[in-house]
Every structure is written in structure tokens, then in C-alpha cells.
Amino acid sequence: MSEKKAGLLEGFKAFLMRGNVIDLAVAVVIGAAFTQVVNSIVKGVINPLVGAFGTKDLESYSSCLKGPCVTDPKTGEATEGIRILWGSVLSATLGFLITAAVVYFLMVLPMAKYLARRAAMQAAKEGVQETLEVSELEVLKEIRDALVLQRGGPGGTPGQDPGRGHDQ
């Protein structure tokens, strides 16, 4: 039984030590903190801007679907009629759009530009390396051709190959 516990604990430890689990935990914590920032922007900036045209609280925008809407002042719930709280939907939608815009413009777009720039630098580096390899190859061909001519290869005097001697 202790071997099973040890194996279980080792598996759990391996699971926790994977990089993606830690990255996910960090993302959740950052996401929770970021949600507070976005909510404060919506409540502190967006709602007052919308309030310039109406009420300062988007949550209070509503419409009555059926009959006159009467709310109980103590509980705040509708006692008559059917109330549609479209202000809360608008507030949540604005919060989502602001979150998406901030994530895109402050995180995704700069990272994409950075990765593109890095890929371009890597491609340029590989192009320079390829050019160096080609020029090295050309130099080696020229050396080979010069050695062939010295040893009496094509175009030189036959029979003067130092590697084989004079009698072929």
C-alpha cells in the first residue's frame, strides 16, 4: 500500500512540476487581478461617460416587457410586470470588449510583432550563413581547380601528378 501511495505522490509531483500547469496557475491569478482592473475601468470611466447621456449606473437600465413594472422598495425585485435588465448585459458586454481590446493591444499584438521580428532576424542570419557557405564552397572549388592544374590535370601538362609519380 505504501508503494501505491509513493507512486501516487510521485505522479502528482510530476503533474505539478510540468511547466504548463504552473503557467496555467499564473494565468488564472493574473486573469483574476486583471478582471478587477477591467471592472474598475467600466464602473469608474465607462459608466460615467454613458451616464452623461442618462443614468450613471448601466446596471439600472431596464425595460418593462409586460405591463407597468413595479418594484418593491425593500427588496428591489419586480412585483408587477416583467423587467428586462438590459443595462447589466450592456455593462458585461462593455467589460468583455475592454478586456479583449486590452489583451489584444497590450499582449497579443506586441508579442506577434516581437515573434515576427525575431523570425525575420533568424531568417536573415540563416541567409548570411547560407551565403558564407556558398562563398566557402566557391573558394574550395577554386582551390581544387588550382591544385588540379598544378598536378597536371585537364589543361595542364600530363604526367606531372606528384601523388602518382612520373610513370603512369
Side-chain angles (χ1 to χ4, degrees):
M1 188 77 166
S2 65
E3 287 180 21
K4 189 174 184 180
K5 276 188 178 179
L8 209 61
L9 290 176
E10 287 297 318
F12 184 67
K13 181 180 175 186
F15 170 74
L16 288 179
M17 297 314 281
R18 282 191 213 159
N20 55 359
V21 173
I22 304 226
D23 291 344
L24 182 60
V26 168
V28 168
V29 170
I30 295 293
F34 188 67
T35 300
Q36 291 178 342
V37 170
V38 170
N39 287 340
S40 67
I41 289 173
V42 169
K43 289 180 182 171
V45 177
I46 302 297
N47 285 353
L49 287 175
V50 172
F53 304 106
T55 180
K56 290 186 179 183
D57 185 16
L58 285 179
E59 304 287 330
S60 67
Y61 282 113
S62 65
S63 297
C64 196
L65 185 63
K66 182 178 178 184
C69 289
V70 178
T71 57
D72 185 10
K74 293 179 184 176
T75 61
E77 292 183 16
T79 57
E80 291 182 31
I82 299 173
R83 176 172 272 165
I84 305 295
L85 302 172
W86 59 271
S88 61
V89 174
L90 180 62
S91 178
T93 303
L94 285 173
F96 170 77
L97 290 175
I98 290 170
T99 303
V102 168
V103 167
Y104 180 75
F105 289 113
L106 295 182
M107 294 177 191
V108 174
L109 191 62
M111 184 57 86
K113 286 183 179 182
Y114 169 74
L115 291 176
R117 189 172 48 235
R118 192 168 173 209
M121 289 174 52
Q122 184 67 23
K125 185 186 279 187
E126 288 175 2
V128 167
Q129 183 66 26
E130 189 174 301
T131 303
L132 287 175
E133 289 174 3
V134 167
S135 24
E136 286 177 4
L137 186 61
E138 291 298 321
V139 169
L140 289 173
K141 284 180 182 178
E142 289 175 8
I143 293 171
R144 179 201 62 200
D145 293 343
L147 287 173
V148 166
L149 284 175
Q150 279 182 351
R151 291 179 8 197
T157 46
Q160 293 182 356
D161 188 357
R164 294 189 178 188
H166 292 286
D167 31 282
Q168 286 182 330

